[in-house]
Amino acid sequence: MITITPEVLDLMTKLGAFFDPTEVKWNPQSVKGNKALAISYVDARVIMERLDDCFGVGGWQTSYQVVKDGVVCKLKVRIGEQWCEHEDVGSFSEQPDEGDRLKAAFSDSLKRVAVHIGIGRYLYRMPQQWLD
């Protein structure tokens, strides 16, 4: 169990910090007529930079496993002398190229597991917008 210290509280604040607006991208989730539901997201590299900034290059690790419906990412982060571990699954994309579908699942799984430790969690609370 991780002890909540001022340093851990500071780390939690850094993990959950808003991204620079230039790093946040928008994707149409569903389309109805001439309108699309815009969903915010960040690139997996932005997640990696946040992990580097918060834990250092050697302070986090990932491992991946391809499963039937996607890719499972296991994320380990070092807090003090302890390793904390989370995992989540990313889905294959609908791209025509098999390699691109797999690559998207790897990226998706990393972004999804990062939410477990607070990275980008606020993006899920952003208001939904239907745009032309």
Side-chain angles (χ1 to χ4, degrees):
M1 174 173 268
I2 303 294
T3 303
I4 303 298
T5 63
E7 293 79 16
V8 170
L9 289 173
D10 183 51
L11 175 62
M12 291 169 65
T13 299
K14 288 178 184 177
L15 288 167
F18 286 12
F19 295 111
D20 185 292
T22 61
E23 296 173 320
V24 178
K25 299 176 183 178
W26 298 88
N27 223 5
Q29 183 179 36
S30 60
V31 177
K32 291 184 182 177
N34 67 337
K35 299 265 187 190
L37 179 60
I39 302 297
S40 58
Y41 74 98
V42 293
D43 188 272
R45 288 169 195 84
V46 174
I47 300 298
M48 292 175 195
E49 288 173 10
R50 178 66 55 89
L51 290 166
D52 285 346
D53 289 345
C54 291
F55 299 104
V57 175
W60 64 278
Q61 303 171 359
T62 54
S63 61
Y64 297 89
Q65 178 183 2
V66 178
V67 294
K68 179 182 176 194
D69 296 323
V71 173
V72 175
C73 177
K74 186 180 293 184
L75 172 65
K76 294 181 183 181
V77 296
R78 187 171 165 167
I79 301 174
E81 297 302 315
Q82 291 184 291
W83 285 91
C84 179
E85 184 177 308
H86 294 272
E87 62 182 53
D88 209 327
V89 65
S91 301
F92 297 116
S93 70
E94 296 179 9
Q95 299 175 64
D97 181 77
E98 185 178 337
D100 288 339
R101 288 193 304 268
L102 184 60
K103 182 177 148 245
F106 274 80
S107 294
D108 189 38
S109 65
L110 174 62
K111 292 186 286 185
R112 291 176 61 88
V113 76
V115 170
H116 289 238
I117 60 172
I119 298 176
R121 191 176 292 164
Y122 77 95
L123 295 172
Y124 290 90
R125 294 189 301 269
M126 292 183 72
Q128 295 184 349
Q129 298 181 44
W130 284 90
L131 305 171
D132 286 329

